[in-house]
Amino acid sequence: MKVELKTWTQLGVATALVGAGLSGCADEADTGAEPAASASQSGEMGEGGEGGETGEGGVSVADAARDPVVYNTALAVAEAHAIAARDAFAAGRTDAAAEMFAHPISEVLADMDPVFEERGVGDFKPLFEQASRTALDGDSEARVENRFDAIITALRDASEKAPENGLSDAAVSGAVAADMIDRAAAMYREAGSSDRYEPYLDGYGFYKTAQRRFDTAHDGLEDENRRLHDSIEEALTLLERAYPGVERPVELNADQSELLAIASQVMLRRLPGPRG
């Protein structure tokens, strides 16, 4: 499947993908995943609540403006899709890769534009559009990898400009990892209800991002909150079995109840931040 460049330019990458017949990512709002702002108890969620509007990615923009956990969770949601896209492309899933690169634009990044602008972060949505085009065109794996690397660099640069509220870097990374674990467990449950690839691929990306966040926080979190550290470690071990690779297994044999239970434990033990 190819989409003409004129279509991309006129409609934007996400709209063009939908028009070309690609389904959207699994609706995380319906999976039971806890909204991102709750990862640091930043404020009430929902329309008219203290936390303000919550986007499709489960991130409160108002909270992201003052809370490093919510801010970095928005970035992690985008990263999870990029990881899933890169690995799906390597597995020959061209259309799924293009979709995964495109989806964070509408799911979280567009909503975060005012926050990024306020914090002096340049617009990096075009990097996701370019990566999506590259994948959809069936370009080389090396080219897609280069696009992915540019996205990760932009996300890391944006993270450096996160707001501060007294939490350590380890605490923030641990709380973001907890949110990603919660999403991965919820998406595995969603994947088990049908034979669709997208929920599994979503969950795979969240699991991989949780692992990356935990790797950066490992030592500091072990000192600051050993109970959370150990719970995350246990959850990641279970998720590794649930998501053995980017390709969906013929049967999803991981214990969904066990996954959801450990995800709940991780969320309960995450380090709360002060209310703004």
Side-chain angles (χ1 to χ4, degrees), residues 158-218:
S159 181
E160 291 294 322
K161 297 181 179 180
E164 298 181 2
N165 68 351
L167 288 179
S168 69
D169 290 344
V172 172
S173 292
V176 174
D179 186 283
M180 295 296 104
I181 287 168
D182 193 50
R183 291 170 186 258
M187 294 315 300
Y188 193 80
R189 182 185 64 182
E190 177 74 9
S193 67
S194 74
D195 60 358
R196 293 175 59 232
Y197 180 46
E198 289 83 359
Y200 179 88
L201 187 57
D202 274 345
Y204 169 86
F206 291 133
Y207 153 59
K208 288 294 186 179
T209 304
Q211 181 68 68
R212 288 161 72 107
R213 288 294 184 276
F214 183 61
D215 288 345
T216 66
H218 186 282

Side-chain angles (χ1 to χ4, degrees), residues 122-200:
D123 183 13
F124 54 87
K125 294 192 300 298
L127 295 177
F128 285 85
E129 295 175 355
Q130 293 162 8
S132 184
R133 290 192 189 102
T134 300
L136 195 63
D137 287 344
D139 211 325
S140 68
E141 190 172 336
R143 183 66 169 163
V144 170
E145 187 72 31
N146 287 339
R147 296 293 195 192
F148 171 81
D149 289 344
I151 286 172
I152 296 302
T153 297
L155 292 173
R156 294 292 176 266
D157 290 345
S159 181
E160 291 294 322
K161 297 181 179 180
E164 298 181 2
N165 68 351
L167 288 179
S168 69
D169 290 344
V172 172
S173 292
V176 174
D179 186 283
M180 295 296 104
I181 287 168
D182 193 50
R183 291 170 186 258
M187 294 315 300
Y188 193 80
R189 182 185 64 182
E190 177 74 9
S193 67
S194 74
D195 60 358
R196 293 175 59 232
Y197 180 46
E198 289 83 359
Y200 179 88

Side-chain angles (χ1 to χ4, degrees), residues 250-272:
V250 176
E251 295 184 4
L252 300 182
N253 294 322
D255 189 323
Q256 294 184 27
S257 297
E258 188 177 18
L259 280 174
L260 293 172
I262 189 61
S264 295
Q265 182 182 90
V266 167
M267 292 296 284
L268 287 171
R269 290 180 174 178
R270 68 198 183 277
L271 290 174

Side-chain angles (χ1 to χ4, degrees), residues 4-170:
E4 295 296 332
L5 181 59
K6 181 178 180 182
T7 302
W8 291 109
T9 304
Q10 291 177 338
L11 300 180
V13 62
T15 304
L17 283 171
V18 173
L22 288 178
S23 61
C25 283
D27 188 352
E28 292 149 28
D30 293 335
T31 66
E34 192 163 340
S38 65
S40 60
Q41 300 298 313
S42 304
E44 299 299 321
M45 302 292 293
E47 186 173 358
E50 186 180 338
E53 295 288 348
T54 302
E56 182 184 350
V59 176
S60 166
V61 176
D63 288 341
R66 67 177 186 268
D67 189 311
V69 172
V70 184
Y71 179 97
N72 278 286
T73 294
L75 299 177
V77 169
E79 181 177 347
H81 284 77
I83 291 171
R86 178 200 60 181
D87 293 357
F89 186 85
R93 297 276 195 156
T94 303
D95 290 355
E99 179 187 354
M100 280 289 154
F101 273 129
H103 200 254
I105 298 170
S106 60
E107 181 178 275
V108 65
L109 296 180
D111 290 340
M112 285 286 292
D113 274 346
V115 178
F116 291 145
E117 183 177 357
E118 180 182 353
R119 306 207 65 79
V121 177
D123 183 13
F124 54 87
K125 294 192 300 298
L127 295 177
F128 285 85
E129 295 175 355
Q130 293 162 8
S132 184
R133 290 192 189 102
T134 300
L136 195 63
D137 287 344
D139 211 325
S140 68
E141 190 172 336
R143 183 66 169 163
V144 170
E145 187 72 31
N146 287 339
R147 296 293 195 192
F148 171 81
D149 289 344
I151 286 172
I152 296 302
T153 297
L155 292 173
R156 294 292 176 266
D157 290 345
S159 181
E160 291 294 322
K161 297 181 179 180
E164 298 181 2
N165 68 351
L167 288 179
S168 69
D169 290 344

